[in-house]
Amino acid sequence: MNYDGELKLKYLTQVLYIVVFGFVTVTFVLGQVKSTADAVVLSDDITFEIKSENKAIFRRHLKVQINRFGGQEYGYNYIDESKYVNVKNVSCFLWNENERLIKEYKKEDFRQTDYFADYILYDDAKYYWVKPSRNTFPYIVEYKIEQIFKSLLFWPSWRPQWEIEVKRASYRLIIDKNLKFNVFKQKIDVKPEGVERGKLWDITWVMNDIKPFIKERYMPPINEIRMRLAFAPSQFSLEGIKGRLVSWDDYGDWIGRIFSADMSLPAEAVNEVNRVNETVIDPYKKIDMLYTFLQHYTRYVAVELGLNGFRPRSVKSTWKNRYGDCKELSTLMIAMLKKAGIDAYPAFVRTNDLGPVNLSFPSAQFNHVIVGVPMKADTVWLECTAKKMAAGELPYGDEGCQVFMLDPRKPSFVKTPISGAEDNLKKAILRGKLTSSGDLDFSGKIELTGNQANFWRFRYSNLNSKEREESIAALFRVGRSRVVLESLTFINLDELFHEPFVIQFQGNFKRFANVTSNRLFLNPNILNRMAADEIPREKDRQYPVHYNYAFTESDSLIIELPNSMTIETSPSITMEETSFGYFHTNYKIDKHTLNYSRRFVLRNSEIPLSNYNEYIKMCQKVVQQDNAQFVLKR
Amino acid sequence: MMISKHIFISLFVCMLIISIPVFSNEWGKVTPAERELTTVSEDPDADYVVLFEKGEVVITPDFMVDFYCHRRIKILSENGFDAADVEIRYWHEDKIKDLQAHTILKDGKKIKVRGKEIYKKQDQKMKSKVFAFPGVEVGAILEYRFVQQSKYIIDIEPWYFQNNAYTLRSELEVLLPKGFQYNVTIRNPNQIELNPNQIETFSAMYPKRKPTLFTWYAENIPGIKNEAYMPPLKDYLTSLRFQIVSYQDIYTNVKFLRNWTDETKKLKKTYKNHLKTSKELQKVIDKLIEKKGKKNIEMSVFAFVRSNIATSDSRVLWGKDLKLPIEVLKEGEGSRVEKNLLLIALLKQAGFEAQPFMISTRSNGQFIDFIADRRQFNHLLVHLRVNDKIFFLDAGARYYPFGSLPPDDCADQGMLLKEESYELKAITLPKLAHSKGADTKVVLHESGDLSCQTTLSYTGHFGAKLRADLAEEDENDFIDEILGDRFQEVQLDSFKIINRNLLAMPLKIVLHYQIKNYVQVAGELMYMNPSIFHRIEKNPFHKKSRHFPVFYDVTIYSKETMQITLPSNYSVDEVPLSANHDRSIRYSASYSADKNVFNYKRVFRIGKRKYSIDEYPHHRAAYDRVVEYDSNHIVFKRNAD
């Protein structure tokens, strides 16, 4: 939505903030309130003053009242700094309950820490932080922050909602009238008030008494559901490279220019592609072979330095180093495919953990790159950072995303496929013979596909043979230390990722069944069992229940029972059917052989709020059933 | 003296130009054996192997330390690619020079890591250089070397001979010119064989005085990994610490090696201003006396510092960044060390004999008394004498009562800083029970539902841990978690938390609640597991063997009782055999019935903190038995009409 269409001008009297510092006691200048909550945000005022398309000043004035020990963390603040966002000034003031200044932290008192995730080798970002606290309550923490933004591409969103109540939050924007911008509203209903001052708009959004944002178990990504006002400039510049954000075509034009790595392949790479071209004709097979080659040839290493956060290094460099981040590995893949005569394009992804892309809001919303290979009938997707995934498969983070495919003829959004419950299968079959002392000789097979296979392949690849055995024993949810494995085989662990990943094992489980003088207790739910603590607890649920992907768990247990015993009690047969999934258990006994089956299917990764109670009931039933036992009597 | 020093330095600079570090394994020259190696027979799963690593300590003529490090590893599988990302951490005042790294491919081709591909990081006082080896493939050899220059001749870092991965050879050399006296300390020498050697050698750095070259090496060293329930890994690794004691020649006589007298003097000097009495402190004492009375004033002072002063996460133990007590008071905030210094000052102000007691916390590793180095310490406790009784206090541990310490503080020994001297001393604490209790009265309904009243109680470390959790969370959420983690369908009627702020008393939680479908009902029979709170379902030790002993934070005692009132027409059909064993873990489970009331009692006790590797199989087996006993069910039966 273009901001011009929405703006209603009003002349406002400029608000002056008077803050008195020093050791003078000032009665409630800071706006202290009576509250029983852990903490409350008294005010959170942001000013974003745009000087030009590559310079803006961000000022934040924040006051948080801490009422209890559990609220102390809300008084901590982390201020980012990177090549494009400099921290000019930052200070923090700690006030006691009488609003007397206890301590002032200047910029040099803030600690600085390099800021990047473990999977990144190096990033030039860092953050400033302090942790002011007191043990006498209430106290107030006040921050004054000033950051210089060197490009409007990083125009910060306004997120006025906290996990605690916010008494007042505001966002003031000072911008040249000639600079247009778009605003995107998410879960927020606030109208701006503006003042025209010469060449400038002075616009303010204000909200009072904002209810806390509530966190729940298995909730959708926070970005998707938290109040947010996002901004995108019509034009910006990053290191002299100008861009526009009026339409997605504009974004495509800019990112296309930024993303234009040197795509020429070195001679060895050309040889490799030629080898593939000579071996197969089918383009799908070519894609498969080249993708497999890439998986073995390269590894994921991310070095984020300034513009390199957007621009991939040359294909030759990635080839030589045999490493790169998502965009570099994708670029190498695209170059190889092109050499093989197959057109492929980078596809920009906003991964599911960040929530979906807002299609009506052209802006830099992406955090990942994959490769899209348009074929006649479909598109083959390649996640080039995955070492153990088949061509065409995507991890759940990339599934069902509107990705921005950078086809130079016409960049466009394409939705990636979503795997269904049957695609993500965990199927276990356990056969065995139970003795009257409760011991079980068994042989088992677990078959995994889709995201289930990805998870377990990754996990087992990082274990040595002893750890793998221990890990299989740990799959027996109870009494794992009494499991002795005689054999263990992995099929398709390091290759043939199109095929199911299969684990076969054989062994003995001492005292698998619990034995008393007259009875033997046998829980048939050996490998898959839901525990009580996996059930969401919210009585007044706010959000849908969110899983990473739909899945199927299928268990079969075929056990020869001891001849000397008869079945006294069996668990009930279950047939729980819902719109979002089902849970079935069944058994039959044939000549002292127990044949038990359990099938739990979650059809969709998200269970709507309207089905929450039904979902809880099903989970309770699953836990109850998973704890139920067969009781055999002598 | 000035002239001679200048000549000394000039000479040194010249020598630096002409001297080249001597490595036994030449840079970039891979041996045929290294090239052909594809697997390690002693560790067939190894994803990579350390072919060799060599450290060379050179004492320079200007009393600096140059530490040359050279490392070569081989990638044996794609899972070993992670070893190709390297981080070299070093003290911020040190310098890393001449960092070179390259990948040697299977065909012998070398790919250099370029200078611009080496990145610098800093986290407080530690710096890092990070880089990724290029062109990594299975069979590639990765090699790097660097020189770490330090001005602290007395702080030569220990050399650890073991790595995460299998190591074919690990070697340390020390080149020591004549005139230096030294000490060598080897920790855990029995794990691997070190081969010491020393020879007089030639060095361009010391052309006129043949220095001595000391060498230690170990070969075929298994990879070592952390295990659950163990103190810091470094306490178990074989390490060698080479310390320079002194230097003497005709012009110079310098003593380097620290001794505890000097070290403790430095500490006392650093804390001198922190331990002074003052009017401001007296005001605090007066206020406390006015409020709480004179009796047990030491406890009031402790409670004041512990509870009224917020604890920051600063880890500064000495130096200019350490706040003075008066600042801590004014700001209402201090690190654990700053709070303890304030506590000492206040106790002294109140007339007590209170002194700093330096420790290395358990998580920081064992304190070695014969290495006089104050950097071993990472925390300061309060040593207090009241009449003839000694107390160890930590005002930074918010939920521990007077006289008790959190497990991490319970080091075997520490250093007492007395007025005129110091004393190496063991920490003695009053016997504190670390216990968990669960007493439940249950009415069992024919439907299999339970109406329950439970009193949970926690003492010692468990009480402190729960109080800390409670402080972070909403009470209702906290109780919800206790019940929700255990039962799939539970309705809480009411709850009460007792002694939340009386730290010396057990923390108690009284719960009234209903559990649905807990008991499996089948016709006239009901099957019930009576241990609803303390039941152990998984043996925490799934590994058959361990490299290291098992260490618990504290000894553990837990007791659960349950009184079950059966439906009037039901009686007990079968109970499991009572359990009573006392091997490694003391465990008992007993059952009794009186009319339609059934009683269950479970006791679990881990009576010591350490179980050796030899004891491990028994301990693991004992846990197995506990898991088995805890899965027992009682069978109730409807009486015939």
mmCIF file of all heavy atoms in Angstrom, chain B residues 15 65 143 148 282 315 405-406 476-477 493 496 523 616 632:
data_model
loop_
_atom_site.group_PDB
_atom_site.id
_atom_site.type_symbol
_atom_site.label_atom_id
_atom_site.label_comp_id
_atom_site.label_asym_id
_atom_site.label_seq_id
_atom_site.Cartn_x
_atom_site.Cartn_y
_atom_site.Cartn_z
ATOM 1 N N MET B 15 68.584 -10.655 15.120
ATOM 2 C CA MET B 15 68.417 -12.101 15.194
ATOM 3 C C MET B 15 67.078 -12.549 14.639
ATOM 4 O O MET B 15 66.972 -13.585 13.999
ATOM 5 C CB MET B 15 68.531 -12.554 16.645
ATOM 6 C CG MET B 15 69.942 -12.631 17.127
ATOM 7 S SD MET B 15 69.909 -12.839 18.881
ATOM 8 C CE MET B 15 71.613 -12.763 19.238
ATOM 9 N N VAL B 65 57.913 -14.306 25.044
ATOM 10 C CA VAL B 65 57.676 -15.698 24.659
ATOM 11 C C VAL B 65 57.157 -15.724 23.232
ATOM 12 O O VAL B 65 56.162 -15.068 22.907
ATOM 13 C CB VAL B 65 56.626 -16.369 25.579
ATOM 14 C CG1 VAL B 65 56.406 -17.814 25.153
ATOM 15 C CG2 VAL B 65 57.042 -16.295 27.014
ATOM 16 N N GLU B 143 46.931 -27.813 6.749
ATOM 17 C CA GLU B 143 48.109 -27.485 7.548
ATOM 18 C C GLU B 143 48.115 -25.993 7.858
ATOM 19 O O GLU B 143 47.811 -25.175 6.980
ATOM 20 C CB GLU B 143 49.363 -27.853 6.742
ATOM 21 C CG GLU B 143 50.660 -27.694 7.518
ATOM 22 C CD GLU B 143 51.871 -28.172 6.717
ATOM 23 O OE1 GLU B 143 51.839 -28.065 5.461
ATOM 24 O OE2 GLU B 143 52.837 -28.624 7.341
ATOM 25 N N GLN B 148 52.649 -17.017 18.134
ATOM 26 C CA GLN B 148 51.926 -16.200 19.111
ATOM 27 C C GLN B 148 52.957 -15.529 20.002
ATOM 28 O O GLN B 148 53.727 -16.212 20.681
ATOM 29 C CB GLN B 148 50.982 -17.085 19.934
ATOM 30 C CG GLN B 148 50.119 -16.301 20.904
ATOM 31 C CD GLN B 148 49.096 -17.191 21.597
ATOM 32 O OE1 GLN B 148 48.802 -18.286 21.137
ATOM 33 N NE2 GLN B 148 48.586 -16.725 22.711
ATOM 34 N N GLN B 282 29.062 1.663 58.171
ATOM 35 C CA GLN B 282 28.527 1.665 59.535
ATOM 36 C C GLN B 282 27.040 2.023 59.526
ATOM 37 O O GLN B 282 26.253 1.454 60.277
ATOM 38 C CB GLN B 282 29.322 2.635 60.418
ATOM 39 C CG GLN B 282 28.959 2.555 61.902
ATOM 40 C CD GLN B 282 29.177 1.143 62.483
ATOM 41 O OE1 GLN B 282 30.214 0.511 62.267
ATOM 42 N NE2 GLN B 282 28.168 0.628 63.203
ATOM 43 N N ARG B 315 32.552 -10.946 35.397
ATOM 44 C CA ARG B 315 33.401 -11.998 35.967
ATOM 45 C C ARG B 315 34.746 -11.443 36.430
ATOM 46 O O ARG B 315 35.699 -12.194 36.628
ATOM 47 C CB ARG B 315 33.634 -13.079 34.928
ATOM 48 C CG ARG B 315 32.395 -13.870 34.641
ATOM 49 C CD ARG B 315 32.753 -15.019 33.716
ATOM 50 N NE ARG B 315 31.621 -15.318 32.852
ATOM 51 C CZ ARG B 315 31.738 -15.841 31.649
ATOM 52 N NH1 ARG B 315 32.920 -16.113 31.174
ATOM 53 N NH2 ARG B 315 30.674 -16.101 30.938
ATOM 54 N N LEU B 405 26.514 -23.326 50.294
ATOM 55 C CA LEU B 405 27.046 -22.825 49.020
ATOM 56 C C LEU B 405 26.431 -23.601 47.862
ATOM 57 O O LEU B 405 26.099 -24.782 48.010
ATOM 58 C CB LEU B 405 28.570 -23.032 48.971
ATOM 59 C CG LEU B 405 29.435 -22.231 49.927
ATOM 60 C CD1 LEU B 405 30.894 -22.672 49.798
ATOM 61 C CD2 LEU B 405 29.328 -20.729 49.644
ATOM 62 N N PRO B 406 26.304 -22.959 46.707
ATOM 63 C CA PRO B 406 25.856 -23.721 45.537
ATOM 64 C C PRO B 406 26.924 -24.740 45.137
ATOM 65 O O PRO B 406 28.105 -24.540 45.439
ATOM 66 C CB PRO B 406 25.685 -22.645 44.455
ATOM 67 C CG PRO B 406 26.468 -21.484 44.904
ATOM 68 C CD PRO B 406 26.552 -21.548 46.399
ATOM 69 N N ASN B 476 1.470 -19.697 38.638
ATOM 70 C CA ASN B 476 0.490 -20.596 38.015
ATOM 71 C C ASN B 476 1.131 -21.418 36.897
ATOM 72 O O ASN B 476 0.887 -22.613 36.772
ATOM 73 C CB ASN B 476 -0.688 -19.795 37.457
ATOM 74 C CG ASN B 476 -1.503 -19.186 38.576
ATOM 75 O OD1 ASN B 476 -2.090 -19.894 39.389
ATOM 76 N ND2 ASN B 476 -1.495 -17.866 38.647
ATOM 77 N N ASP B 477 1.962 -20.747 36.102
ATOM 78 C CA ASP B 477 2.647 -21.464 35.019
ATOM 79 C C ASP B 477 3.588 -22.520 35.593
ATOM 80 O O ASP B 477 3.724 -23.614 35.051
ATOM 81 C CB ASP B 477 3.483 -20.490 34.172
ATOM 82 C CG ASP B 477 2.596 -19.526 33.398
ATOM 83 O OD1 ASP B 477 1.382 -19.786 33.314
ATOM 84 O OD2 ASP B 477 3.122 -18.518 32.903
ATOM 85 N N ASP B 493 -6.973 -28.016 41.370
ATOM 86 C CA ASP B 493 -8.032 -27.356 42.159
ATOM 87 C C ASP B 493 -7.454 -26.180 42.940
ATOM 88 O O ASP B 493 -8.024 -25.098 42.962
ATOM 89 C CB ASP B 493 -8.677 -28.366 43.115
ATOM 90 C CG ASP B 493 -9.350 -29.500 42.350
ATOM 91 O OD1 ASP B 493 -9.835 -29.232 41.231
ATOM 92 O OD2 ASP B 493 -9.336 -30.640 42.836
ATOM 93 N N LYS B 496 -0.602 -24.193 47.073
ATOM 94 C CA LYS B 496 -0.052 -23.261 48.060
ATOM 95 C C LYS B 496 1.468 -23.470 48.091
ATOM 96 O O LYS B 496 1.921 -24.624 48.084
ATOM 97 C CB LYS B 496 -0.652 -23.608 49.426
ATOM 98 C CG LYS B 496 -0.451 -22.567 50.484
ATOM 99 C CD LYS B 496 -1.235 -23.002 51.718
ATOM 100 C CE LYS B 496 -0.810 -22.237 52.932
ATOM 101 N NZ LYS B 496 -1.398 -22.793 54.149
ATOM 102 N N GLY B 523 -12.184 -54.059 32.859
ATOM 103 C CA GLY B 523 -13.213 -54.859 33.520
ATOM 104 C C GLY B 523 -13.134 -54.693 35.016
ATOM 105 O O GLY B 523 -13.210 -53.567 35.546
ATOM 106 N N TYR B 616 31.502 -47.547 37.611
ATOM 107 C CA TYR B 616 30.469 -47.132 36.654
ATOM 108 C C TYR B 616 29.519 -48.268 36.239
ATOM 109 O O TYR B 616 28.293 -48.080 36.273
ATOM 110 C CB TYR B 616 31.119 -46.478 35.430
ATOM 111 C CG TYR B 616 30.128 -46.120 34.354
ATOM 112 C CD1 TYR B 616 29.209 -45.083 34.555
ATOM 113 C CD2 TYR B 616 30.068 -46.831 33.155
ATOM 114 C CE1 TYR B 616 28.276 -44.765 33.576
ATOM 115 C CE2 TYR B 616 29.134 -46.516 32.185
ATOM 116 C CZ TYR B 616 28.243 -45.486 32.389
ATOM 117 O OH TYR B 616 27.317 -45.171 31.438
ATOM 118 N N ASN B 632 6.957 -50.818 37.921
ATOM 119 C CA ASN B 632 6.034 -51.820 38.494
ATOM 120 C C ASN B 632 4.626 -51.274 38.667
ATOM 121 O O ASN B 632 4.432 -50.090 38.939
ATOM 122 C CB ASN B 632 6.547 -52.280 39.855
ATOM 123 C CG ASN B 632 7.611 -53.358 39.700
ATOM 124 O OD1 ASN B 632 7.648 -54.044 38.677
ATOM 125 N ND2 ASN B 632 8.461 -53.494 40.700
#
